[in-house]
Amino acid sequence: MSTDERTTTDWLTMPDLVEVLNEPLGRVRRLLDEHQLIGSRRDGAFKVPSIFIVDGHPLSSLRGTIIVLQDAGFGDDEVIDWLLEVDDTIGISPIDALLQGRKSEVRRVAQTLA
């Protein structure tokens, strides 16, 4: 996949997340457990795409979308990759659509993947 077909993002490690979210490590872990955020091992370290955080908080529409994709059988890496890759049905990457407030459209497309 070429970079123009994927939303570029910085990747945040757990210490980065503690700082960006201004939350203790235990709370950051809870956000991950509750699917408010999702991450995976990249380059040996557990990381979360920074684009999933808006104004110091997890993007609110992310949780339900993560759950829909996991219910469809997606693993964490697959969820992240799908969110960052341009989807032909949506016209942009799902994460960009979520940032634009197009939650219903993104979830409708995600549900067809099951």
Side-chain angles (χ1 to χ4, degrees):
M1 162 158 294
S2 64
T3 52
D4 61 343
E5 294 178 7
R6 168 172 249 174
T7 296
T8 56
T9 183
D10 291 328
W11 291 80
L12 303 172
T13 61
M14 291 299 274
D16 296 334
L17 288 167
V18 167
E19 184 176 328
V20 169
L21 297 169
N22 195 28
E23 296 283 357
L25 183 58
R27 175 70 180 134
V28 172
R29 289 187 194 282
R30 204 162 32 260
L31 290 171
L32 289 158
D33 290 344
E34 296 171 352
H35 308 295
Q36 301 286 336
L37 286 172
I38 190 167
S40 67
R41 290 215 172 271
R42 305 280 165 140
D43 303 319
F46 183 84
K47 298 181 183 179
V48 171
S50 63
I51 198 167
F52 293 175
I53 298 170
V54 177
D55 297 329
H57 301 283
L59 178 63
S60 61
S61 56
L62 193 59
R63 181 175 189 268
T65 306
I66 291 169
I67 291 169
V68 167
L69 291 166
Q70 288 176 333
D71 287 350
F74 280 50
D76 291 353
D77 285 332
E78 294 168 312
V79 169
I80 293 166
D81 290 344
W82 185 80
L83 285 166
L84 297 177
E85 292 172 4
V86 171
D87 184 279
D88 293 337
T89 310
I90 301 170
I92 57 177
S93 69
I95 190 63
D96 287 334
L98 288 175
L99 290 166
Q100 292 176 3
R102 296 164 56 189
K103 173 177 75 174
S104 297
E105 179 183 3
V106 170
R107 294 210 185 137
R108 190 169 47 253
V109 171
Q111 287 173 335
T112 67
L113 303 173

